[in-house]
Amino acid sequence: MEFMTASQAAKLWNISQRRVQVLCSEGRIPGVFKLGDAWAIPANSSKPCDSRLKQTKKEQPENECN
């Protein structure tokens, strides 16, 4: 299995590295684990939904953040 760092995930998902680190520490990314000070994120992981935002069913696109 291949892994990526928080900075690689941040570039891929177009969010900050700090936000990726917070998602990892909250357990929002499946299969993530810490190697020393760095997070190891499975390379096939998708960006988790932003639970800070509330969306109605009309606003929420299909196949996005169930």
Side-chain angles (χ1 to χ4, degrees), residues 41-62:
I41 303 165
N44 61 351
S45 294
S46 59
K47 178 182 172 183
C49 296
D50 192 346
S51 64
R52 300 174 299 170
L53 303 175
K54 291 188 177 186
Q55 295 180 341
T56 63
K57 290 204 176 225
K58 288 183 180 179
E59 294 173 349
Q60 189 173 6
E62 291 194 29

Side-chain angles (χ1 to χ4, degrees), residues 1 11 13 20 22 24 40 44-45 48 50 54 57-58 63:
M1 181 176 251
K11 288 178 186 173
W13 298 339
V20 174
V22 169
C24 291
N44 61 351
S45 294
D50 192 346
K54 291 188 177 186
K57 290 204 176 225
K58 288 183 180 179
N63 297 331

Side-chain angles (χ1 to χ4, degrees), residues 2-57:
E2 293 190 25
F3 295 93
M4 60 182 162
T5 64
S7 63
Q8 291 170 328
K11 288 178 186 173
L12 180 66
W13 298 339
N14 198 27
I15 57 176
S16 71
Q17 179 178 348
R18 180 64 185 139
R19 183 68 187 142
V20 174
Q21 293 169 340
V22 169
L23 292 170
C24 291
S25 66
E26 290 176 347
R28 302 263 321 273
I29 304 171
V32 70
F33 62 94
K34 203 158 187 187
L35 287 171
D37 290 337
W39 288 100
I41 303 165
N44 61 351
S45 294
S46 59
K47 178 182 172 183
C49 296
D50 192 346
S51 64
R52 300 174 299 170
L53 303 175
K54 291 188 177 186
Q55 295 180 341
T56 63
K57 290 204 176 225

